[in-house]
Each structure stands twice: as structure tokens, then as C-alpha cells.
Amino acid sequence: MLALLVIGCFILLTASFGQRSNFIQSTVATVFGPLEEGASRALKPARDLVNWFDETFEARGENARLREELEEARLQAIAGQAARQENDQLRDLHDLSETGVIPSGYEPVVARVIARSPSLWTGTVTVDAGSSSGVEVGDPVMSGDGLVGQVTAVYGGSSLVLLITDPSSRISGRVVPSGVQGILQPEIGNPEGLVLGFLDRAEQVRVGSSVVTAGWRTETRASRFPPNLPVGVVERAPLIEQEASRQVFVRPLADMSRLDFVSILTGGWRK
Amino acid sequence: MILTPNILARLGALGLLTVLLEVSFFSRITLLGSRPAFAVLVVVLLGLLGGVTIGAVAGFSIGFLIDCLIGSPLGSTALVLILVGYLAGAYRERATGRAGRLGIPLICVGLTLIAEAALLAIHLLLGLSGPFSPAVIPDLMVTALYAFVLGLALNAGLRRLLSPALIDESDRQSNGPVAVFGNRK
């Protein structure tokens, strides 16, 4: 009996090998089809109950796994955002060289801001380029948007930069295109603002005018910054202020609160 | 096993019910990543209760119907179930002494694993399956666990269903190879 059954199986296997279905299977499937369908419908609630338990167990594990993946994705997104921000800043610094903002003779050295003065009222940052990169005291420092400050101390691998918003900062500036010149200094009570005072002419300065470094030079003396470095935009220019105090209010182009990368202009005046 | 028309009808109905439950329920649920091999368990228990012939014929019949309904190569499942039915029946006819309380579920576990291996071998021979991956071992362990638990429950149910046909253990002990299972009521 056993041998017959086994031989029968091999015959069936051989006969049906390679075929998707055959007469026997289709006949049996047709006959049992209604029974199968009835049983399937009748047992659906029981199947769903069992599968619900399985899905619940799986969901717990999957929940934990998804939480981990979400956390990882969040960290990656943050890192991606930070990388994009850095990329934007570096691209702006690169554009400085391309657009001719940097005067000829200067070699820009890109540096990362590694420390910042904690006080709102003192404006210094530390960057990771020092004498080993050719940085010297007095070198102008720019961001992708405009003038940031000047190097006031140099070490082997880092430098201290005095920001233009520091209370002790003084820069000779010039309004373009009018040519009115004055002294740029921080606005009292506004750590993010500048005042262009001691205007040398009575000519009215308009809001929206650009302010650049004057960059004057004589035989014996020169200003600390080369000419035409973008500094800010005239934000407020009340006539009363202009006539009485001979000053206008300037908004710096560089965002001092979001400095990550700067460009130190080495060489230049010293050549 | 004493076969009467009544018992044959019960066996036929049992076989049909096994096929329907296998294709409509047990093959469509997943719990802990695997599912019970219900048809294998029924065939094994029939072999343990009825002997080699009952086990092999039940295996062929149930396997053949399953092959027809799920579209697998005709004869593949039948061959596997013949094997496990025969092995269960052979154990019943040759074993001496009681299997013990855990004997039946352990036999169910062992023969279920043999059935899975045999089915894999057939599929590999027919070119229907890829190479074996150790990743299925946890699933096999869960299937074995189901075999253990269901084996206990199904054994009690099948004994009750087929009790008029089962041979008393004491009769077999006195007449020849000791029957491990069976009580005549």
C-alpha cells in the first residue's frame, strides 16, 4: 500500500511538473471551491483575531524600531540643515572673491568661528586661523555679506577678531553713491546697529544707501581697512539727526549673531 | 484501528475538515512570525492512533487535496504527508512501552520538523525554492512550539472522535507489539 501511494505521488509529480495547473487540480479546485470559500468566510473573524494579536506584538517591536529610526533621521536632518547652512556661508565667502568685492592684493583665508564673547556688549569672536595661516594683526575680516571686523590678536592657530559692533570699534565709512564720509561706530543701546557720524558734508543721506569702508590713505597714515568693503545699509536717516548731529543709522550687512565662517583678508596694505 | 463504515466516514470528514482548516485558516494566520502545520499534525496523530496504513493513506489523501487547492506541484505535499504518516504509524507499531505524557507532543514536534525539511528538499529538487537561509530557523522553532501545544490538544480531540475504533493498549500488550495508544469503549 505504501509503495503504491509513493509511486502514485511520483507519477502525479512527473505528470504535473512544469505545468501551472492540470485537469485533476482544476477539477478538484472547482468541486471544492464553494466549500473553500464558505470555510474562508466563516473563519475570517477567527483569522482576524489571531492576526490582530500578531500585529499587536509586531507593532510594539516596530514602534520601538521606528522611534529609533525617527531619532536617527531627526539627527541626520539637523546635521543636514547645519551642513547646508555652512555650505551657504562658504558659498557666500567664495562669491566675495568672484564678484571682486575683495580688493586686489588681498589673499582671503577662510576661517571657522570657534568662540564668541558671551556678553552682548563686547563684540569679539575667535577664529581658527592664526599666524600659521598668514594672519596678522590688523587684517580685515569679512563674512559673505559684508565687513565683520578686524583681527586684534594672533596666535599660532587662532586669532581674535574685534567686531564692528564692539563699543571700541571705529571705522571710516563712505556712503555710495553720494560719497559722504563719516565714522562708523556702534549705536548706543543697540548692539546690532551702527551709527555713521561726523558726516563731512551737509548733503542729505538717503535711506537704503550703501555704506562701504572709506579706505583712505596718506603718505604717512592709512585707515585700518581697504576701500570699498561693504559694511551696511542706511536704515534710518532722520533729517533732524542729519542736521543736528550729522549722523545716520546703519544696519550692518553681516549678521553678527550667525557667524560660522569668515574670510580674513591677509596681505594687502602690508605689501 | 478497527475500521467500520462509521469510522471511515469520520476519517473522511476529518480529512476534509483538515484540508479546509489548513487552506482557509491555518495557512493564512501568522503569530510570532510563523504558523502551525495543522495538516501535518493531524496526519501524525492519525498515524500514531491507527498505524502505518492509516497514517500513509491519510497523508496521501490530505496532501493530494491540499496540492489541488493551493496549486502546488501535484504530489509534493502528499509525498511529505505520506512520509510523516508512515513514520508515526511505524513508531506506533514498533514502540514498546508508553510514550509518556510528553511523548506525543514531542513526536509531533519531531515529525513536523521532518515534514518541513522534506518539503524544502522537494521544492529544491523541483527548482521551486531558493537556497536555505538560516533566517528561517526561528520560524521553524515557532512552528515546532505550535506542534507541541496543538499536538496535546488535537490528540485528545482525535481520541474522542475515533474512540470506537481505537485498540485497547492491554490487548496489544498481550497479543504482540505493545500498543502505545488507544482505548476501546
Side-chain angles (χ1 to χ4, degrees):
Chain A
M1 170 67 83
L2 178 67
L4 280 173
L5 292 174
V6 172
I7 290 169
C9 283
F10 279 111
I11 291 172
L12 288 170
L13 268 171
T14 308
S16 67
F17 181 72
Q19 301 174 18
R20 284 192 173 272
S21 68
N22 53 46
F23 173 73
I24 299 172
Q25 274 178 314
S26 57
T27 304
V28 172
T30 304
V31 170
F32 284 90
L35 274 176
E36 195 184 354
E37 190 182 334
S40 179
R41 287 191 185 197
L43 292 168
K44 188 175 185 313
R47 276 202 314 272
D48 291 345
L49 180 65
V50 173
N51 286 332
W52 178 83
F53 279 107
D54 183 58
E55 283 166 12
T56 303
F57 289 136
E58 254 190 60
R60 282 174 181 261
E62 197 175 1
N63 191 19
R65 184 181 59 81
L66 287 173
R67 278 180 190 275
E68 276 182 29
E69 282 183 13
L70 181 62
E71 188 57 35
E72 207 177 303
R74 187 179 291 134
L75 291 174
Q76 285 181 357
I78 291 170
Q81 258 182 341
R84 189 164 54 206
Q85 193 178 1
E86 283 187 9
N87 187 33
D88 289 343
Q89 289 195 27
L90 288 169
R91 194 185 296 276
D92 290 341
L93 286 174
H94 175 72
D95 289 344
L96 272 182
S97 307
E98 296 293 311
T99 55
V101 171
I102 297 175
S104 59
Y106 283 90
E107 292 292 327
V109 172
V110 175
R112 181 190 290 268
V113 173
I114 56 175
R116 190 186 300 273
S117 58
S119 165
L120 281 175
W121 310 106
T122 56
T124 59
V125 294
T126 306
V127 297
D128 66 353
S131 56
S132 60
S133 304
V135 177
E136 291 187 20
V137 172
D139 285 343
V141 180
M142 298 192 65
S143 73
D145 297 317
L147 186 68
V148 165
Q150 190 177 43
V151 175
T152 55
V154 178
Y155 312 106
S158 63
S159 305
L160 191 68
V161 176
L162 183 76
L163 301 177
I164 60 176
T165 51
D166 185 87
S168 62
S169 172
R170 298 290 183 272
I171 305 167
S172 55
R174 181 166 55 85
V175 182
V176 292
S178 63
V180 174
Q181 292 195 22
I183 302 296
L184 278 163
Q185 57 191 3
E187 181 182 348
I188 296 172
N190 179 9
E192 302 295 324
L194 298 172
V195 172
L196 180 64
F198 304 102
L199 300 176
D200 64 348
R201 297 209 294 268
E203 187 172 333
Q204 187 180 354
V205 176
R206 293 184 180 176
V207 171
S209 301
S210 297
V211 178
V212 299
T213 51
W216 53 265
R217 193 172 208 176
T218 66
E219 284 183 7
T220 52
R221 295 178 64 190
S223 65
R224 289 184 294 163
F225 296 95
N228 300 320
L229 295 180
V231 179
V233 175
V234 176
E235 192 173 42
R236 287 174 290 137
L239 215 56
I240 294 176
E241 289 286 339
Q242 290 188 53
E243 290 179 354
S245 310
R246 313 244 327 231
Q247 66 183 23
V248 293
F249 300 92
V250 177
R251 176 176 55 80
L253 289 170
D255 187 350
M256 306 301 167
S257 62
R258 296 189 180 195
L259 286 177
D260 293 315
F261 291 94
V262 295
S263 181
I264 304 174
L265 307 184
T266 62
W269 290 112
R270 294 189 292 277
K271 291 186 179 176
Chain B
M1 187 178 280
I2 302 168
L3 297 177
T4 63
N6 189 357
I7 295 300
L8 284 172
R10 291 187 189 190
L11 286 173
L14 176 66
L16 190 60
L17 187 64
T18 299
V19 171
L20 288 176
L21 283 176
E22 176 69 28
V23 301
S24 304
F25 184 74
F26 286 101
S27 65
R28 294 167 65 178
I29 59 167
T30 307
L31 197 57
L32 302 179
S34 190
R35 52 183 177 265
F38 180 71
V40 172
L41 287 174
V42 170
V43 169
V44 166
L45 289 169
L46 284 176
L48 287 173
L49 290 173
V52 171
T53 305
I54 298 293
V57 172
F60 176 81
S61 311
I62 291 173
F64 174 76
L65 282 176
I66 289 175
D67 284 336
C68 289
L69 291 178
I70 66 173
S72 58
L74 208 55
S76 56
T77 309
L79 199 56
V80 170
L81 293 184
I82 288 173
L83 173 67
V84 295
Y86 172 79
L87 289 175
Y91 177 86
R92 186 226 191 278
E93 291 175 2
R94 289 174 175 73
T96 56
R98 288 178 176 273
R101 189 167 283 232
L102 294 181
I104 293 172
L106 287 176
I107 292 169
C108 289
V109 169
L111 289 177
T112 297
L113 292 175
I114 288 174
E116 294 287 343
L119 198 58
L120 174 65
I122 289 174
H123 281 195
L124 284 173
L125 284 171
L126 294 176
L128 299 173
S129 183
F132 173 77
S133 167
V136 305
I137 291 177
D139 294 343
L140 284 175
M141 295 296 106
V142 176
T143 302
L145 177 66
Y146 288 142
F148 188 91
V149 173
L150 271 181
L152 274 173
L154 276 176
N155 182 49
L158 287 179
R159 279 181 169 277
R160 183 167 292 202
L161 178 71
L162 301 173
S163 59
L166 296 177
I167 298 171
D168 197 318
E169 269 188 58
S170 57
D171 288 348
R172 289 184 57 83
Q173 279 175 352
S174 62
N175 294 331
V178 178
V180 179
F181 316 105
N183 286 297
R184 179 165 48 194
K185 292 185 180 174

